[in-house]
Amino acid sequence: MRRALMITAALWGVSSAATFAGFSIKPYGDQKLNLQTGTTVLGKGGVASDAERGVSVDAKYIEFKEGDWLKARDAKLTTREGGTLLGQNVEYQAKSGILSASGNLQYGDARVQGLSARTISLDTTRKLAVAMGGVSSQKPAMSADNIVVDYANNRAVMFGNYQYSYNRTKLSSAKADAVLLVTWNALGQPSASTKVSEAQIAPYRALLK
């Protein structure tokens, strides 16, 4: 009975693709579908791509339940905007459109290079990324307790105990409620400001809860 519930997939074959909540899924090997739970496992990994949102996940292991969730291990995530995120664990929730990652995280794009954090979540619809827990990046050299990146508006908000350094600009604060706004111009060059109103940052602050 148990074997009957687990179908080893030559169902689609290695070259053809399945779908998950807007993602096209291409396996690197066999797939196993558990008819009882509705969970599909790609033991050798594969690539999950969402052309509409411009997100792709290439992982050594993928597990998903159609229309509900997708989990990946040892994953490389790329975005249409040119961002690359490496993480041990990646999870996508279909209903919220939120993709979260943890474990040896490294992120980089045209604006930020060598960014690491305890966890990073990406709102694939609103183009927002939230990095939490000991966040730091190599270029520009900055660190904070938490950082929210708004890709649609070329800005980032640094929350709590921050340090920022780019060219001759050096800013820092050890306060837990400190806030710094970083914006990028059309050439990808950042500038930072401590003059930011609560109305400007309230939508971003809410993402940290």
Side-chain angles (χ1 to χ4, degrees), residues 164-179:
Y164 173 90
S165 177
Y166 184 79
N167 290 340
R168 296 183 179 180
T169 302
K170 295 182 185 296
L171 298 167
S172 65
S173 175
K175 296 181 179 180
D177 60 350
V179 176

Side-chain angles (χ1 to χ4, degrees), residues 77-184:
L77 181 149
T78 56
T79 67
R80 181 183 291 134
E81 293 76 22
T84 300
L85 172 64
L86 302 177
Q88 289 181 326
N89 301 291
V90 171
E91 183 171 343
Y92 177 77
Q93 296 295 330
K95 292 180 181 179
S96 65
I98 302 296
L99 192 151
S100 58
S102 62
N104 293 330
L105 295 176
Q106 285 291 324
Y107 177 83
D109 60 25
R111 306 172 190 82
V112 180
Q113 297 176 19
L115 185 144
S116 62
R118 187 179 69 250
T119 63
I120 294 177
S121 63
L122 173 66
D123 186 324
T124 57
T125 302
R126 298 168 62 195
K127 305 297 182 185
L128 294 170
V130 181
M132 300 183 68
V135 188
S136 65
S137 66
Q138 296 173 1
K139 186 177 180 180
M142 57 185 187
S143 63
D145 292 335
N146 307 298
I147 296 178
V148 177
V149 183
D150 183 344
Y151 294 101
N153 294 294
N154 289 316
R155 66 174 63 130
V157 183
M158 302 169 62
F159 292 97
N161 192 29
Y162 68 75
Q163 292 186 18
Y164 173 90
S165 177
Y166 184 79
N167 290 340
R168 296 183 179 180
T169 302
K170 295 182 185 296
L171 298 167
S172 65
S173 175
K175 296 181 179 180
D177 60 350
V179 176
L180 185 72
L181 176 65
V182 181
T183 57
W184 282 264

Side-chain angles (χ1 to χ4, degrees), residues 10 18 20 23 27 35 52 65 69 73 89 126 150 161 168 179 182 185:
F20 163 79
F23 280 85
L35 294 179
E52 181 180 349
K65 184 175 182 179
W69 51 263
R73 292 204 297 262
N89 301 291
R126 298 168 62 195
D150 183 344
N161 192 29
R168 296 183 179 180
V179 176
V182 181
N185 61 22

